[in-house]
Amino acid sequence: MTAALTAATVEANEGEAEGARRRSRFAWVLLAPGLAYLVLFFVAPVAVLLLFSFYERVPGGAVGQTTPAFRIANYTEAIAEYAPQFGRSFLFALIATVLTLAIGYPLAYVIAVRARNRPLLQGLMLVMVIAPFFTSFILRTIAWKQILADESAVVAVLKAVAILPEGARLTATPFAVVAGLTYNFLPFMVLPLYANLERLDIRLIEAGADLYASPLSTFRHVTLPLTMPGIVSGSLLTFIPAAGDYVNSALLGTTGTSMIGNVIDARFFRVVDYPTASALSVILMVAILVLVGWYVRRAGTDDLL
Amino acid sequence: MTPPERDLELVGITKRFGEFTAVDEVSLVMPSGSFFALLGPSGCGKTTMLRMIAGLETPTAGRVLIGGRDVTTTKAHERPVNTVFQSYALFPHLDVAENVAFGLRRRRERDVDARVAAALELVELGAMAGRKPTRLSGGQQQRVALARAVVNNPAVLLLDEPLGALDLKLRRQMQVELKRIQNEVGLTFVHVTHDQEEAMTMADTVAVMNAGRIEQLGPPQELYDLPRTAFVANFLGRSNLVPGTVVDGGDVLGIDAGGVRMQLPASRAAVSEGEVLVGIRPEKVRLLTDDAAPEPGATVLGPGTVEDVSFCGVSTEYIVRVPGVGPLVVFAQNLAADVPVARGDEVRLTWSPRHAFALPGESTTPAADVADEAPRPAVVAR
């Protein structure tokens, strides 16, 4: 009798374990397409990229001809030759990120907090932020070319009020590239900030005022720390693609403003120098990874979530 | 204990939101060191009044004075006032100690750590200093909010229904705690609540608010014993209100209520002529079974029919319908000697005139209640 009961229990337990196994197998089936996609289109290409970055070009060979090798000099040469472009990429991306934050934070604050009780106005403003996505990135950047062109109204006005000296121009300058980057990545800053500020509890701001904090002090000690996750994700979404961007520099700048993206583009598709282009890509990835890691740790957002 | 120059005074304070008047020309003085309760139903303007004292809302008219200084236009962060918010509004990104230290740090005060520790000790949360508020229970969060306000030693401490989110048992416990803390720190507490029991057990002075105005203000016993309006009579405890007409003036008023003659001292009447509502608390009414004789000079009603009997443990609640007057509620202590009264019995009701009170008769709501056929007429339970 007891033995029978025990046997039944064991059987039930086994059945349960079997069920758990089946469930976990089912989870793998669900994950499979995503994993396959990642392996095929991310892991494998990165591995190939890494491999190619150590290959050697064949001197005097056909265009793009390489031989397998382990040539670390690819990296040192790439850094030595393209240090200015790397520096420019990170500098432009940094300036654009700071500018999008400076423009985007007040904008997101107005939409998320000030317009909170007016859903219609709030919706309208959000649409205005997102609307540019309905036209192509390239087209919008070309439009900026027109806006900043020598004969444009903007330049005429700036010259009239003597902000821009006679003979100076906006197009083909670092200013134009940074302006293009800032414009193009602004929504990537505004949307995460909006999502964060939208959840901001106004009563905490009142509590700050009640506890002797001036509006500025309340912002610094309450609002800002509480919106840090939005600031971090917004600046990552801006900085990372901006550092690798080559469209803005290609359309709005000159060779003097070229960023690392332009160099990689040229090395891959015009010079067909795969080892150098691969090495540059790997350097860019690692550099961004290091910067982002340092930034996230510095901002201490893991503590906030 | 605290200097008298920290009295809080409101002069003709008014707040309108568009067409709606939330607070209507309220004037009052809250003496320094008192425990003051603003009691009223939701939407009566009590929270708006609190927010105007805190500086979170600008009055449409009137002035706010703290210690004689006009602070009407002073910004919230410059007022010597702190609030315990209904939602507690603890900063989620700061730990308990930093939440409590917030006000001190903003004012760049000295001995922050020691004062924070003392405040946390006061609310018995010394061990929780390093925790984030989200990891505390509701009662603990409430006490952190209290410590965060008390630590600043404000002239006035505002409490906006601070116990509203707690369960009954914890609420009773916190009422005692709050009272103890108020005694200990000696600050002026202004406590907003819709719970009449909370207001009566905790406050020295209760202001009953209705529709943006203060209906009556005074010590809880006084308000309970001698309400001046039908609203107070029914919001603070329960009352039987019987409409009648004053027929005799003088020191003792004679009132005719549906053919029954009642008396009460003129000092206990809000009006001394015309239509009045005679009020009597249910526990002041005695049931007389057929042979018992009333006390000399007592008001006697009936006989009436017992319509309902509810046993409540320490007392029993009877509803007695008296012809020509309507149903009245009686609370009788369950004493050993009492003769049991059952539903359908004929009884007379009696009370001493010194327990009765008279209110202006034209008041609409209580009169309607008396005429009502509902099982609990003349009474609005809180």
Side-chain angles (χ1 to χ4, degrees), chain A residues 27-28 40 59 64 66-67 72 100 148 192 203 205 223 232 238 241 278:
Chain A
W28 281 108
L40 201 59
T66 54
T67 53
I72 294 171
T100 50
L148 300 176
R203 292 174 296 191
I205 295 176
T223 315
V232 169
T238 305
S278 302

Side-chain angles (χ1 to χ4, degrees), chain B residues 343-365:
Chain B
R343 194 200 301 222
D345 285 0
E346 293 281 305
V347 293
R348 283 173 299 159
L349 304 176
T350 180
W351 64 79
S352 165
R354 67 196 157 86
H355 289 140
F357 52 87
L359 307 171
E362 58 274 3
S363 259
T364 50
T365 41

Side-chain angles (χ1 to χ4, degrees), chain B residues 98-120:
Chain B
E98 278 309 306
N99 261 283
V100 177
F102 194 90
L104 297 176
R105 293 214 194 283
R106 298 293 85 73
R107 289 196 300 179
R108 298 196 162 72
E109 301 236 344
R110 287 158 178 277
D111 302 329
V112 173
D113 292 344
R115 288 174 66 179
V116 167
L120 284 176

Side-chain angles (χ1 to χ4, degrees), chain A residues 56-67 270-275:
Chain A
E56 199 171 356
R57 294 177 76 189
V58 178
V63 171
Q65 196 185 346
T66 54
T67 53
R270 253 161 286 172
V271 186
V272 202
D273 173 7
Y274 280 20

Side-chain angles (χ1 to χ4, degrees), chain B residues 193-254:
Chain B
T193 180
H194 64 260
D195 183 339
Q196 48 114 0
E197 193 188 324
E198 193 172 297
M200 284 202 285
T201 49
M202 298 172 78
D204 316 323
T205 310
V206 176
V208 180
M209 281 193 76
N210 182 31
R213 289 177 167 278
I214 290 186
E215 292 262 335
Q216 194 176 348
L217 183 154
Q221 303 90 320
E222 192 184 303
L223 255 59
Y224 186 80
D225 182 55
L226 197 56
R228 285 303 185 183
T229 69
F231 181 82
V232 176
N234 280 322
F235 196 76
L236 216 58
R238 294 162 71 172
S239 296
N240 293 303
L241 296 177
V242 179
T245 313
V246 177
V247 289
D248 281 332
D251 282 350
V252 176
L253 296 183

